[in-house]
Amino acid sequence: MSEKLSSQERIFAEMLALCENHISGMANKELAETVGTSETNMCRDLAIFEKFGMVERNNKGRWRLSPKFGGLAGQIAKSYQKARLELSKEEERYMTAMQ
């Protein structure tokens, strides 16, 4: 990256880089260079990711996004399913009451 990122922007850049390199994983230094930040910042950010269960180390000790991170998409999909079910039930109650 050529421009200096804020810490919030850096977090998103790190997540995207980890996503793009999921299979091979990334070392701290490699991730710091990709995002354009210091290794100190990278260690701090990865500690936060790890605290919330969003990253893990692969079998080579390189960082990657965790299954918990991947599961966020499933949680979103479940929310839509729940909303559709609730709307369907409401529609059925309404249509029944109209008869």
Side-chain angles (χ1 to χ4, degrees):
M1 301 219 144
S2 58
E3 66 181 76
K4 177 117 170 82
L5 301 175
S6 71
S7 58
Q8 293 86 359
E9 292 170 322
R10 192 175 68 235
I11 295 292
F12 283 103
E14 292 162 2
M15 287 189 301
L16 293 174
L18 287 169
C19 185
E20 291 169 2
N21 296 280
H22 182 74
I23 300 301
S24 61
M26 296 183 83
N28 289 26
K29 183 177 180 179
E30 193 177 17
L31 189 52
E33 289 172 357
T34 299
V35 174
T37 193
S38 68
E39 288 186 59
T40 302
N41 282 340
M42 191 52 55
C43 287
R44 186 181 310 117
D45 294 347
L46 287 168
I48 294 169
F49 285 156
E50 192 172 32
K51 176 181 177 180
F52 287 92
M54 296 292 119
V55 295
E56 65 180 17
R57 291 187 184 265
N58 66 13
N59 59 357
K60 294 182 181 177
R62 295 165 63 85
W63 292 105
R64 67 177 177 190
L65 296 172
S66 70
K68 181 178 180 180
F69 181 90
L72 294 175
Q75 290 176 2
I76 293 168
K78 286 179 184 177
S79 293
Y80 279 109
Q81 291 169 348
K82 182 180 176 185
R84 276 194 298 274
L85 180 61
E86 288 173 5
L87 183 59
S88 178
K89 287 179 180 178
E90 182 63 25
E91 178 186 29
E92 184 179 328
R93 280 191 296 272
Y94 188 84
M95 296 304 279
T96 301
M98 285 179 20
Q99 296 174 4

